[in-house]
Amino acid sequence: MPTEPHITPAVAHVSPQPERTPDPCVVIIFGASGDLTKRKLLPALYHLEQANLLPKEFAVVGVARRPLEDSFAADMKEGIIAGGGVDESDPKLKPFVGKIQYHAMNFDDSAGYEGLKKTLGQIDEKFGTCGNRLFYLATAPEYFSDIVNFLGEHGMSKPCDAPNGKKTWVRTIIEKPFGHDLESAKALNDEVNKVFHEDQIFRIDHYLGKETVQNILVFRFANGIFENVWNRNYIDHVEITAAESIGIEGRGPFYETAGALRDVVQNHVMELLSFVTMEPPVSFEASAVRAEKVKVWRAIQPIHPADTVRGQYGPGTVDGKPVIGYRQEDRVHPRSQTETYAALRLEIENWRWAGVPFYIRAGKRLAKRVTEITVQFKQPPLLLFKGKDGGKAGNVEPNIISMRIQPDEGITLRFGAKVPGQGMNISPVNMDFSYAESFGKSSANGYERLLLDAMLGDATLFAHRDGVEATWALITPILKAWAEKPVKDFPNYAAGTWGPTAADALLEVEGRKWRKL
Ligand code: BG6
C-alpha cells in the first residue's frame, strides 16, 4: 500500500558534547598585548570555562614587552565581554579574570626567561597548576626562534617530575605564518625541533577549528552516498573561494611582507583543499589524518605561473561606503607590488582526481565576505529533456554541492526539477542545510576547539612539519615567479568588486565561470 509522503523538518538532535577536561595547566601567551589575545584567545578560553571544559586549577599569563601589569587583566575582561559576547554579570567572569596574570619582558632577553620561570613556579603554587605548560607564540614571526631557543636554554621546554609523582607536560602552539617560503619554514622547523619534540608542537591554523571545516570530513566520511561520486568520474571541477570584504585593518607592515598567497592561500585555503580531496584516513588519529593530507598536497602538480592571477585593490565602495585603495593604506608603499588577491588553477595527479581542475581565489576588499567550496558535477551523458526548438528544456544546470564555510554556514545541493505545468520545463532547485536552523547559532570562533585540543594533547587539527613544508613547496615557486616579474597594472581591481578580470579568464578559457556568490 502506498504510504503518504511524509516530510520531517530537519531539526537536529544535538547530543551533549562528551566532557573532556584537560589536566591543571598554565597557558602562557607570548605577544599578549596584540589584538589576537584580546579579541580571540581570551574570549575562546572564557567560552571553554563557561562550558566547564577548563580544569579548576588553571591560569593564563600574558607575556609582552610593555609594562601592562596593572591593566592587563581588566583589558582582557573587556575583550571577553566585547569579543566573546559575554555579560558583565556572568558569575564565572570575576573568578576567571582573577586567574589572568601578566609578565613583562623582552623576547630576546635571556634574563627575562629566568624571571618568567620563577613567575610560573609561583603561579603553580598559587593556582595548583602542577607544572603543566602550554606556551602560545602569538608574536610577530621574527621572534619565534628566539622564544623557542630561550625556553630551551632555561629548561622550560621539557617535561619534568611533578611533586605528585607524575610527569608534567609542556606544549607550544605556534601561530601562522610559519615561515615565509619553503626555505625559511624548513629552517624554523629545524630550530623548533631542536628544542621541542614534534609531539609537543602545535602549529595552529584557526580554519581547522571551524565547525564547517571539520564538517567537510563528516560530510564525506560519515555518509554513504557522497563518497561514491567524489572523484574524477563524476566531478567536473571544484572552486574554493575565500573572499573578504575587509581591507588590511591597519596591518600594513605585516601585509606588505605577506600578501594574499602567504596570508591565506598557503595555509587556510590549502587546508580546505586537503579536506575536500584527501583519501579516507584509516582512523581519526592525528598521524593518520595528517598523512592523508600530505599525500594530497604532494600529488599537486607544480603550478604554472600562467595558471595564476594576482591582484591589488584600488579605491572603491564597500557596503555602500567609499574606501581607499591598498597603496593608500597606512604604512603601505605607494607603489607596493604586494598582492591583495590571488587566484590559481591546479590539478591533483592521483587516481581520484587526475584531470579535474581546482580553481582557487582569495582576496581582500572583495564584494562580500564569503568562504565557500563548490563541487560541480558533470552533466548527465544524454540530455533527454529538450525544449520545443530542440534546445535545452528550460534551465538544465549541472548539479553542485556547495559548502558554505562562512558566513551563513551550511551546505546546498542543487539539482534540476520539473517546473509544474504541461510542458517539460526544468529549473534548478536547492536542498539546503543551515547550521543556524538545525543547531542554533554557535559563538565558537575556531580557537576554542584548538586551544582545548592542545591542552588535551590532541594534534589532529594542527599542522605537522611535513604538511607545512609540502604547502610551502607548492607556493614558493609562484612567489618567486611573481617577484621576478613586477606587475605594471596594479591596482587592477576596485575595492568592492570580485577581483581582476584576468581571474575570470582563468576559467573562461576552459568554458567555465566562477559561481556567483
Ligand atoms: C588570518 C589572516 O589568518 O585569517 C587575515 O591573517 C584574515 O588576513 C583572517 O583576515 C581570516 O580569518 P576568518 O576566520 O575571519 O576567515
Side-chain angles (χ1 to χ4, degrees):
M1 206 174 74
T3 49
E4 281 285 295
H6 180 70
I7 298 168
T8 325
V11 176
H13 297 281
V14 188
S15 48
Q17 269 196 328
E19 293 272 312
R20 305 193 301 162
T21 311
D23 301 327
C25 63
V26 190
V27 176
I28 304 113
I29 306 172
F30 287 93
S33 54
D35 238 23
L36 180 75
T37 309
K38 180 173 177 177
R39 282 188 28 228
K40 305 274 179 167
L41 302 184
L42 264 297
L45 287 170
Y46 189 70
H47 289 151
L48 292 175
E49 172 76 354
Q50 283 183 312
N52 296 321
L53 291 168
L54 287 185
K56 272 212 304 301
E57 301 83 3
F58 178 78
V60 181
V61 183
V63 182
R65 273 157 295 186
R66 279 183 276 158
L68 300 172
E69 288 82 355
D70 298 336
S71 57
F72 186 71
D75 199 30
M76 294 304 110
K77 181 178 164 192
E78 257 176 45
I80 293 169
I81 294 169
V86 170
D87 199 295
E88 182 144 24
S89 62
D90 192 301
K92 291 190 167 197
L93 189 55
K94 199 168 166 215
F96 183 81
V97 173
K99 296 179 182 180
I100 302 176
Q101 314 278 305
Y102 185 76
H103 182 86
M105 62 178 267
N106 283 328
F107 305 134
D108 54 2
D109 170 27
S110 176
Y113 291 83
E114 215 37 52
L116 176 65
K117 194 174 173 183
K118 219 164 116 204
T119 305
L120 294 179
Q122 289 160 357
I123 287 175
D124 281 339
E125 275 177 29
K126 185 167 169 196
F127 295 98
T129 40
C130 297
N132 297 320
R133 320 257 181 262
L134 176 61
F135 294 107
Y136 195 123
L137 275 51
T139 60
E142 60 262 32
Y143 295 111
F144 290 169
S145 66
D146 265 354
I147 296 172
V148 165
N149 284 322
F150 281 124
L151 288 175
E153 264 176 39
H154 291 270
M156 285 189 270
S157 63
K158 298 267 177 285
C160 51
D161 295 319
N164 58 9
K166 281 190 177 174
K167 271 266 182 233
T168 63
W169 54 254
V170 181
R171 300 180 190 128
T172 183
I173 297 182
I174 305 182
E175 257 300 335
K176 63 174 272 285
F178 196 92
H180 57 269
D181 58 11
L182 178 58
E183 224 173 285
S184 57
K186 276 186 175 164
L188 183 58
N189 272 327
D190 286 344
E191 273 201 272
V192 179
N193 279 140
K194 265 190 226 148
V195 176
F196 289 100
H197 188 269
E198 186 63 28
D199 292 351
Q200 297 177 281
I201 306 167
F202 292 71
R203 297 172 191 80
I204 196 165
D205 181 321
H206 77 279
Y207 262 53
L208 294 183
K210 292 182 193 275
E211 291 289 353
T212 43
V213 176
Q214 292 160 35
N215 190 50
I216 301 171
L217 296 187
V218 174
F219 180 81
R220 291 188 53 202
F221 303 138
N223 294 294
I225 58 175
F226 304 114
E227 202 48 25
N228 300 312
V229 293
W230 213 253
N231 57 54
R232 63 191 301 275
N233 298 327
Y234 298 93
I235 291 177
D236 178 75
H237 73 275
V238 178
E239 290 172 34
I240 302 181
T241 298
E244 295 184 272
S245 55
I246 54 170
I248 53 161
E249 309 232 281
R251 297 194 299 161
F254 161 74
Y255 206 84
E256 278 285 86
T257 60
L261 212 49
R262 288 190 174 97
D263 187 35
V264 169
V265 177
Q266 179 269 332
N267 35 74
H268 306 327
V269 175
M270 283 294 156
E271 291 291 351
L272 294 178
L273 178 74
S274 72
F275 273 24
V276 173
T277 57
M278 68 194 255
E279 294 302 315
V282 286
S283 73
F284 203 58
E285 299 274 299
S287 56
V289 174
R290 287 160 157 188
E292 294 305 336
K293 286 165 55 177
V294 171
K295 273 195 222 161
V296 162
W297 287 324
R298 289 192 180 146
I300 297 175
Q301 289 304 291
I303 302 163
H304 196 274
D307 286 335
T308 68
V309 173
R310 54 187 150 158
Q312 189 191 72
Y313 63 83
T317 309
V318 171
D319 293 332
K321 293 197 191 93
V323 298
I324 54 175
Y326 178 69
R327 289 178 175 183
Q328 289 79 53
E329 299 275 6
D330 184 27
R331 293 172 293 163
V332 165
H333 195 281
R335 287 185 306 281
S336 173
Q337 285 283 314
T338 303
E339 83 284 356
T340 58
Y341 176 99
L344 323 169
R345 177 197 187 279
L346 59 85
E347 285 191 24
I348 301 173
E349 283 294 293
N350 63 17
W351 278 47
R352 186 191 284 265
W353 294 115
V356 178
F358 288 77
Y359 303 101
I360 283 171
R361 58 178 168 169
K364 299 267 184 206
R365 284 283 188 235
L366 295 180
K368 64 176 182 183
R369 174 176 181 249
V370 54
T371 302
E372 186 161 324
I373 300 164
T374 300
V375 176
Q376 182 166 318
F377 290 85
K378 292 182 178 171
Q379 292 275 37
L382 252 180
L383 283 178
L384 291 178
F385 304 107
K386 297 206 166 67
K388 277 198 207 99
D389 54 358
K392 283 199 295 181
N395 199 356
V396 184
E397 298 282 344
N399 298 127
I400 58 166
I401 288 178
S402 110
M403 301 180 178
R404 297 186 302 280
I405 304 299
Q406 63 190 24
D408 184 23
E409 291 82 356
I411 298 179
T412 297
L413 166 64
R414 183 178 77 186
F415 56 96
K418 180 181 176 304
V419 180
Q422 300 311 315
M424 198 45 112
N425 285 323
I426 297 171
S427 168
V429 292
N430 289 338
M431 270 167 79
D432 208 27
F433 152 60
S434 144
Y435 272 82
E437 267 173 41
S438 296
F439 299 115
K441 273 267 170 229
S442 154
S443 59
N445 64 17
Y447 282 97
E448 278 97 346
R449 171 68 193 260
L450 296 175
L451 281 162
L452 182 65
D453 280 1
M455 283 185 253
L456 289 162
D458 181 350
T460 311
L461 296 175
F462 290 85
H464 187 261
R465 139 167 223 159
D466 297 348
V468 169
E469 291 179 12
T471 50
W472 275 122
L474 288 166
I475 297 300
T476 305
I478 307 174
L479 290 168
K480 281 197 181 137
W482 284 3
E484 278 162 16
K485 210 165 164 224
V487 206
K488 299 214 176 68
D489 66 345
F490 272 3
N492 58 357
Y493 70 98
T497 64
W498 277 107
T501 46
D504 298 334
L506 203 58
L507 279 76
E508 274 160 13
V509 290
E510 297 180 312
R512 302 188 174 95
K513 49 180 194 255
W514 295 105
R515 190 165 113 83
K516 226 173 165 181
L517 299 176

